[in-house]
Amino acid sequence: MYRLREWGPGDTDRLLEAFAEPELAWQAPTVPTTSDQAREWIVRQRFLAREGSAFGFAVVEGDGPVLGHVQVDVTSRRLDTGWVSYWTLAEARGRGVATAGALLVCEFAFAGLDLFRLELGHRMNNPGSCLVARRSGFRPEGIERQKLRYGDERFDTGAHARLATDPVEGVELRPCAY
């Protein structure tokens, strides 16, 4: 059974392992490459949570090692909206880790943070992330042209949202298409 927990000092090796993957490092605004930087990343997660602006969690199975990360950023308290993001270590892909994490962070955001609307976006050339979004109850809302930029490259983005009143079920399980 997957669950969320705070990142801890003992997770630095798993964090470094995750960010050693070129696909994740390429997309991340900050890439820890040393144990000290990984500890700083973890401390930053706790600071953002105390500040109330972002809540990032390690996704684990039971008491096992970190398998992924899921986060909700509070984008507007006035509008009760947030932004969800997720990633998994390579060994955890295809096992439902990202979907479980996204479902759990939605529960936290709706019940614990009193948010009403959660949004997320994925590169159109990332069908796996789209399926995670849909399995987590996020409805597709369209395509935002060249919204994301990684390095010098821009990508069209599949936009999704889930409302506190939306059931998880009922979303067609197919990747977004143009």
Side-chain angles (χ1 to χ4, degrees):
M1 176 132 197
Y2 298 115
R3 65 184 183 87
L4 304 182
R5 69 163 171 79
E6 276 190 340
W7 283 89
D11 297 324
T12 55
D13 288 344
R14 292 297 279 180
L15 187 65
L16 291 171
E17 185 180 338
F19 279 103
E21 295 179 40
E23 180 76 7
L24 180 57
W26 171 64
Q27 297 177 75
T30 305
V31 179
T33 58
T34 67
S35 292
D36 285 343
Q37 290 173 348
R39 280 189 289 277
E40 288 171 15
W41 188 94
I42 291 167
V43 166
R44 177 94 175 123
Q45 290 294 311
R46 291 177 180 214
F47 171 79
L48 293 171
R50 280 193 310 274
E51 183 182 74
S53 60
F55 301 84
F57 301 95
V59 183
V60 298
E61 186 171 19
D63 293 326
V66 172
L67 299 172
H69 173 78
V70 66
Q71 183 163 316
V72 59
D73 292 86
V74 178
T75 54
S76 173
R77 280 288 179 194
R78 185 175 70 76
L79 301 175
D80 300 325
T81 58
W83 180 266
V84 172
S85 57
Y86 42 80
W87 53 259
T88 58
L89 280 91
E91 71 191 57
R93 294 195 187 117
R95 294 177 31 196
V97 172
T99 299
L103 286 165
L104 290 167
V105 86
C106 287
E107 288 177 25
F108 169 77
F110 294 141
L113 300 176
D114 204 28
L115 296 179
F116 179 76
R117 179 182 166 87
L118 299 175
E119 301 171 340
L120 66 78
H122 62 83
R123 291 188 331 268
M124 290 299 294
N125 64 350
N126 187 348
S129 191
C130 181
L131 290 173
V132 168
R134 288 173 181 249
R135 287 182 179 125
S136 304
F138 284 81
R139 273 78 176 144
E141 292 192 331
I143 297 169
E144 297 175 287
R145 298 178 309 127
Q146 298 190 11
K147 180 176 183 176
L148 294 176
R149 185 182 74 190
Y150 301 121
D152 294 332
E153 213 172 340
R154 294 197 82 78
F155 296 89
D156 290 352
T157 304
H160 296 255
R162 181 172 167 198
L163 307 180
T165 54
D166 286 341
V168 173
E169 303 78 21
V171 182
E172 188 178 357
L173 297 180
R174 64 173 181 76
C176 294
Y178 287 96

